[in-house]
Every structure is written in C-alpha cells, then in structure tokens.
Amino acid sequence: MISLNIDGKYVKVPEGSTILDAAKALGIEIPTLCHLDLHAVGLVNKGASCRVCVVEVKGRRNLAPACATPAVEGMEVKTNTIRVLNARKTVLELLLSDHPKDCLTCAKSGNCELQEMAERFCLRENRYEGGLQSTYKKDHSPSLERDMDKCVMCRRCETMCNEVQTVGVLSGVNRGFTSVVAPAFEKPLEESVCTFCGQCAAVCPTGALVERDYSWQVIEALADPEKVVVVQTAPAVRAALGEEFGLEPGTLVTGKMAAALRALGFDHVFDTDFAADLTIMEEASEFLDRLTRHLNGDKDVRLPILTSCCPAWVKFFEHQFPDMLDVPSTAKSPQQMFGAIAKSYFAQKLGIPREKMVVVSIMPCLAKKYECSRPEFAENGNPDVDISISTRELAHLIKRANIDFLTLPDEDFDKPLGESTGAAVIFGTTGGVIEAAVRSAVEWATKQPLDSVDFTALRGFQGCREAKLPVGDLTLHIGIAHGLGNARRLLEAVRKGEVEPFHAIEIMACPGGCVGGGGQPYHHGNLEIVKKRAEALYREDEGKPIRKSHENPDIVRLYEEFLGKPLGEVSHHLLHTHYFKRSEL
C-alpha cells in the first residue's frame, strides 16, 4: 500500500494504482472521456488521449493525466486548481471546435459523454470556432453506422475490438488532422472482418459509432393496411428495457413490454423464446445424434458441437476458423427460426402469402440486423425476418408513441408462437443456451425425468469455463465462453489439443451473453448492470411452470401439425443453415 494526498485528503491505495483510482477511493470525481474501466473483463482503456482528466502534481512542471499516472508514496495532488480547470476547458473547446453541431439529431443525444462534459463545464461559447474541420466519409453497414467526424480519438472502440473481442477490425491510421480510427485501408465495415457485435458502439462516448436505426421502417410497416406485422422479442430485452424508463437494472418488464407492443399497433405479439425452445429441439437433437454416432465408433463425426445462436460469433468463426465450419450446429438462431416458421406455418394459418407478412424482431444485439440481411435467410428475395431493431430503438418507439410504459398492465404474448419455457428465457445469458440444451438432451438420452433442471455448474461470469456433468455411464464435458477474445483462446486450445476434448461448447460474442449485447441500454462500462440482467432471466426461468423446451405444448403441436420431427426433412429445410469461408482481412 502507498499513501498520497489528494485535495488535502490522505488515502492509502494498492501499489500500481493510478491517481484516478486513488481519487475514486476518496470519493473525489475527476472527469474522464477516453478512460473506460472494464474491470469485469480485466481491461482498462487508459490511453490518456483526451487529457480531460489532468491534475496538478506537486513538483511536476506539466499537468498529469490522472487515468494513466501511477500514484506514488507521498504524492500531493490537486484536482481543482484554476490551472487544471482552465486546461480541461481548453481541451473540451478544442474537441468541440472539430465536432459537428448536430446534437439535436444525433443518435447519441442524451447518452453522449462529450455532450455531458460540455454541460458539466457550462460551455456556452467556443474560442476556437470558425477553423477548418476534419471530414471523413460516412460508413453505413446493415448493423452499424460510422461517422468519424464525431470521433474524439479516445480509442475505446479500438481497445474493445482488438483487446476484448480480438476481431482486429479497428486501428488508428494517418497522422495529424487526417488521423482516424478505421478498418484496414479505410475500407467499409462490410468489407472487413467485422462481426457487427456492436461492442464498439456500446463503449463509444459520442455518436461516432451507433446502430443502424430501422425504427421508421417499423412505423411505415405498421401504417401499411396491406401488411400483417408480426413482432418477436428476444429474452434479454425484457431484463433491460425498463432501464430506458428509469427502472433498476434487472427489473423484468415482460408483461409491460407485450402491452407496449400491442399499443404500438403490431397485429401479433409473439416471443422469440418460443423459437428458442424450437432451437433446442433441433440443436439438442443434433448434439445427441453426433454424440451417439461418436460413441458408436463413427470417426467422421465432428465434436465438440458448437452453438450457433449468436450471429456475431458465426461471422467470427467464418472469418477466423474456416477450417472448423463443419463443427458448429447447423441450427439457425432463434430469430431466424421464428421468421421461417412465421412466414410458413403461421402465414398458412392466417391464409396469407409470406410476402404480405412483415416480421419485426426486437433484439439486444446489433449483429441481428446483419443476420436477417444474409441472403440465405430469404425465399425468392423475401427475407424470413424483415426488420430487426434494438432494445434502445424499441424504447424510442414507445416514447415516440407517447405510451406511458410504467403504468401499462401486464399482458401475455399471443398464441401459437408466444408460449415458452424457462429453458428459453435463459438463452439471454452466458451459459443459458447450453443449459437449456442439456435439460432436454439428458432426458432424451436417459429416458428419465430430471431430478433438477438447474445445472448451476454451467452458470457464472468467468470468460472461459468448463463443467463436467454425469449422464448415466458418460460424463459430458461442456465448455463455455463469452466475449470473442475468450472464444478465440478456447477454440485455439481445442484446435491444438491443449485441453481435454469437449463434447459441446457454447459461445456468445458479447460479454455476459445477450444481456450485454450491443443494442442494450448503455451500461458505460459498468458490467455489474449486465450481471443484474442475467440474474433477472434466471428469476423468470424459476417462475415458469414449464422449464424444459421439449415440454412446450405449442412446440409439440408445431411438430405434430407441420414439422414432423426434429432433424426431419421439413425441419432441415426451414430450421437449418450452412456456413461460408470468408476472407481473413
């Protein structure tokens, strides 16, 4: 421990702490912009590029960035001198002098840390207005929009993309006034190895990186009398949507969300959880089929089977692990399964052609926007899912429609694509997909009901973890990773034979799984919020009367009336897909 003095107060902190850490221990708030502490994943962005956090250190001629300056024994620090305040104000004025003035229409308005900082310093005029401003080409992908005119070179997105996710899309290029964070050769994101996970947008302090907004397309569809508009909502959304209306993180708003969607004018309000149960029917069946053939001596079977629900993860392995394209499950994600069933089975029940139906999905994930645009998920050019919007976009729609969300009564989802089990709702958190699959696979394999459906060994927040589950004479070896950096480390170890062989591995691209998705309400680096959302999903699971996917009566009926059996001919056509080798650049 070392002792130092900050603003006349003494504090002891562990050796290796920064001045910013020491100030936080005293409850002294030093403003920051580029700094981001992702302690839950063991990473801190402290490039000290913005200089908003400068302080005076006794004996030092220049001002020191608090986020990157080590605290040392006996140090005396001042955080509020005139020199410090003037330097921070000057830095902000210079940042704003090269920043667009479209705050009223910016997607990050109200969530912009630069905007918040300008208000904190009461900046009402700028001494550096009128000079040349840097301009960059706008980049529009199906999931993300890049407006580098708004970039403050904090490099948070670069740290997230390269260090946490290890995708390696973004880096600083050029020098001086033309410097920018961009993909290689300043190519568009669509031409890069970007997975569209959206974690860069989740940590961007300004409007430089935001989701592609499709909310007006939803409004246009709702206003079209010729269209039947169906909505599905993912499990993680119900545990985070309330934050946009002032509720505590982890508050479940399932019933109010269903009521709000009806109030918006959707013709049918369904639940992606139904499709999550359907996914388990196919994915668990595929797992059991592969495992049985492997145990019977089939040398051609590829194990471990990898989950395929996360589109960012799917694109990641298509780019990064092309030699393993036959390892993941061929089951589509719940979003795409729902779209395929809605535009076949449900459209037939309504007696309408698929072209008359518009399927909208509410997702915690920005990669879902990209996923529904993939050409293999369409029939004669008509996509299975027409529009995917984020949790944030849904909140904007509700506010735009002047719906008093907090006073809405709780309502249920519609039938027949709204019934779900507890196994489906935990799809929204890391470990949930594989736990749901195990609940069904074990019962099918042993032909005995489970004593307990809570496989707590599969739960947790460690980046990579494993569990061994006894099933009769066999011990299932399960691997789990969340965050693409952890996925890379686990798969490389599997590829090199450095770990005991797994039977199945679940991977989610975002830290915490879908609850930490790039389309969720901004958590500003506080991953405790993500953990509270996960806890909420386990609570909903515990409260469900049915907690195993294969016991969902509407799923049973769907197979009886339409699909036949898991892995059957109809199921294979509608519910399974294939993968593509993509470039590594």
Side-chain angles (χ1 to χ4, degrees), residues 458-520:
L458 300 172
R459 303 178 186 181
F461 244 71
Q462 300 92 343
C464 288
R465 56 194 190 276
E466 60 182 300
K468 293 187 175 181
L469 307 175
V471 181
D473 296 331
L474 176 69
T475 298
L476 284 180
H477 190 202
I478 307 293
I480 299 167
H482 60 113
L484 290 175
N486 293 318
R488 181 189 294 278
R489 285 184 282 276
L490 182 59
L491 284 190
E492 286 180 347
V494 169
R495 178 193 268 166
K496 295 174 183 176
E498 296 175 348
V499 292
E500 181 184 341
F502 290 99
H503 295 107
I505 297 176
E506 179 205 288
I507 293 178
M508 292 288 185
C510 294
C514 302
V515 285
Q520 295 279 65

Side-chain angles (χ1 to χ4, degrees), residues 54-102:
V54 291
V55 295
E56 273 197 74
V57 177
K58 186 176 181 180
R60 180 166 170 164
R61 289 176 56 191
N62 62 328
L63 297 176
C67 72
T69 303
V72 298
E73 181 67 37
M75 179 182 273
E76 292 187 30
V77 179
K78 297 289 185 183
T79 71
N80 54 8
T81 65
I82 294 299
R83 183 186 178 197
V84 165
L85 297 178
N86 185 59
R88 292 174 184 166
K89 177 174 179 288
T90 301
V91 164
L92 283 170
E93 287 176 322
L94 288 168
L95 286 172
L96 291 171
S97 72
D98 190 29
H99 200 85
K101 305 300 185 289
D102 61 352

Side-chain angles (χ1 to χ4, degrees), residues 216-264:
W216 276 109
Q217 284 91 324
V218 173
I219 292 172
E220 289 169 0
L222 291 171
D224 188 343
E226 298 299 315
K227 298 293 186 182
V228 175
V229 188
V230 172
V231 66
Q232 57 165 318
T233 179
V237 175
R238 69 205 65 200
L241 179 62
E243 295 167 35
E244 291 283 346
F245 299 92
L247 297 177
E248 285 294 312
T251 303
L252 286 165
V253 293
T254 312
K256 293 186 186 304
M257 178 177 63
L261 291 168
R262 283 198 186 88
L264 284 169

Side-chain angles (χ1 to χ4, degrees), residues 279-330:
T279 300
I280 291 303
M281 296 294 289
E282 296 296 320
E283 197 165 79
S285 296
E286 186 180 4
F287 172 46
L288 267 184
D289 176 65
R290 287 202 206 178
L291 183 61
T292 301
R293 288 191 288 126
H294 168 75
L295 294 174
N296 289 336
D298 188 340
K299 302 297 183 182
D300 295 326
V301 175
R302 294 297 301 270
L303 288 176
I305 191 171
L306 306 178
T307 59
S308 55
C309 297
C310 172
W313 148 237
V314 167
K315 192 165 187 287
F316 180 77
F317 75 68
E318 287 181 327
H319 284 292
Q320 311 283 350
F321 295 89
D323 57 314
M324 300 175 71
L325 293 186
D326 57 342
V327 180
S329 166
T330 61

Side-chain angles (χ1 to χ4, degrees), residues 367-388:
K368 290 293 182 183
K369 297 171 182 283
Y370 150 78
E371 182 185 42
C372 67
S373 72
R374 287 179 62 136
E376 66 267 27
F377 296 138
E379 188 174 300
N380 298 321
N382 179 261
D384 294 334
V385 177
D386 297 273
I387 307 169
S388 179

